[in-house]
Amino acid sequence: MPQITYIGRRLISLIPVLIGISIISFLLVKLSPGDPIRLLLGPRATDEAVAAVRLAYGLDEPAWRQYFVYIGNVLEGDLGRSIRYRLPVSELIVQFLPRTLFLIGYVMAITIPATLALAVIAARTQDRLADQAIRLFTVLGMSVPVFWLAVLLGRYFGAELGWFPVSGWGEGFTGHLHHLFLPAVSTSLWLIPLLVRNLRGALIEQMESDYVVACRAKGLPEGIIFRRHILRNSVLPTLHLLGIMVAFLIGGSVVVEIVYAVPGLGALMVGSVIGRDYYVVQGLTLAYAVGTVLVTLTVDLLTAAIDPRTGR
């Protein structure tokens, strides 16, 4: 019952957040330079044609009324129509979204096992050679910009050695894995150091706590103590950080998508900004924000499932 109450409170708390997101995405088009109707009709459109389309779209109404019309359209799945692609924005997002989600999932499949392995090794060999080497790796990893690393890996392993493609996303599951390997690795090499440092510190703190000493005094095997108590209590701070990083990747994947020409949401966003396709930018901003909120909610629910005390 407390868990259900906690979930209900979290869902209710999302309502003002979603309202704020909708207002910002609505104002994004209103405050943008230029007239989207003239962009839609072209430079040779007459003032009468512009006025007729403005009337048809309800853009001659007050801003507050336009906002409520916009909310109604969003709830029906209508995010507007792209000026550049001549397609509904919702269809464009559905078309480009799987590539970005596949890339994010690929990054997580590399990042999570590597983070657990390196953090556990570093914590259990504290201040010894392995720990020092892993700490050096984390410092270097956090110092290297992800876009520079993406260019470096693409030039060496793609252009010079020819081991991996440097553009596109391939055909079929194995083709996707092959084409997106360098984008996923370059992103993971930026994420792993942050997560390893966080998890290593939490593991060391738990290993030195009083309840671990008590478990050892009772004669429990070291492996059981580590798996059932130390690791479980240490993973929560890193889980929150991972959620923040995943939320950042939803929008931040634009860097590697542009470097490796991956036709995902990031590439769609950049092309729409350059082409002043305002309704696509508006729809993507809303999609990014809602995705971030959902990731945050998922992390909170996982945290409550791992440690029920957080859901009280």
Side-chain angles (χ1 to χ4, degrees), residues 62-74:
W64 64 268
R65 187 172 294 174
Q66 293 182 41
Y67 170 73
F68 284 107
V69 172
Y70 166 69
I71 290 297
N73 292 336
V74 168

Side-chain angles (χ1 to χ4, degrees), residues 25 34 36 49 83-84 111 135 140 199 251 277 288:
S25 63
I83 299 171
R84 176 184 177 187
T111 299
R135 290 167 68 182
L140 293 176
L199 183 55
D277 200 344
Y288 283 146

Side-chain angles (χ1 to χ4, degrees), residues 139-222:
V139 172
L140 293 176
M142 291 187 296
S143 304
V144 177
V146 64
F147 67 88
W148 182 83
L149 185 61
V151 172
L152 186 67
L153 293 179
R155 178 173 180 177
Y156 184 71
F157 292 103
E160 293 188 9
L161 297 180
W163 291 357
F164 300 98
V166 293
S167 63
W169 85 306
E171 296 291 337
F173 184 75
T174 56
H176 301 335
L177 292 178
H178 189 219
H179 276 72
L180 297 182
F181 180 78
L182 291 180
V185 168
S186 58
T187 307
S188 297
L189 289 177
W190 170 74
L191 280 178
I192 292 171
L194 297 170
L195 298 173
V196 167
R197 285 182 66 89
N198 185 274
L199 183 55
R200 173 189 174 276
L203 287 170
I204 292 175
E205 181 181 356
Q206 292 296 323
M207 290 168 65
E208 297 173 352
S209 59
D210 293 337
Y211 78 89
V212 173
V213 176
C215 289
R216 292 184 180 129
K218 292 180 180 179
L220 290 178
E222 194 68 26

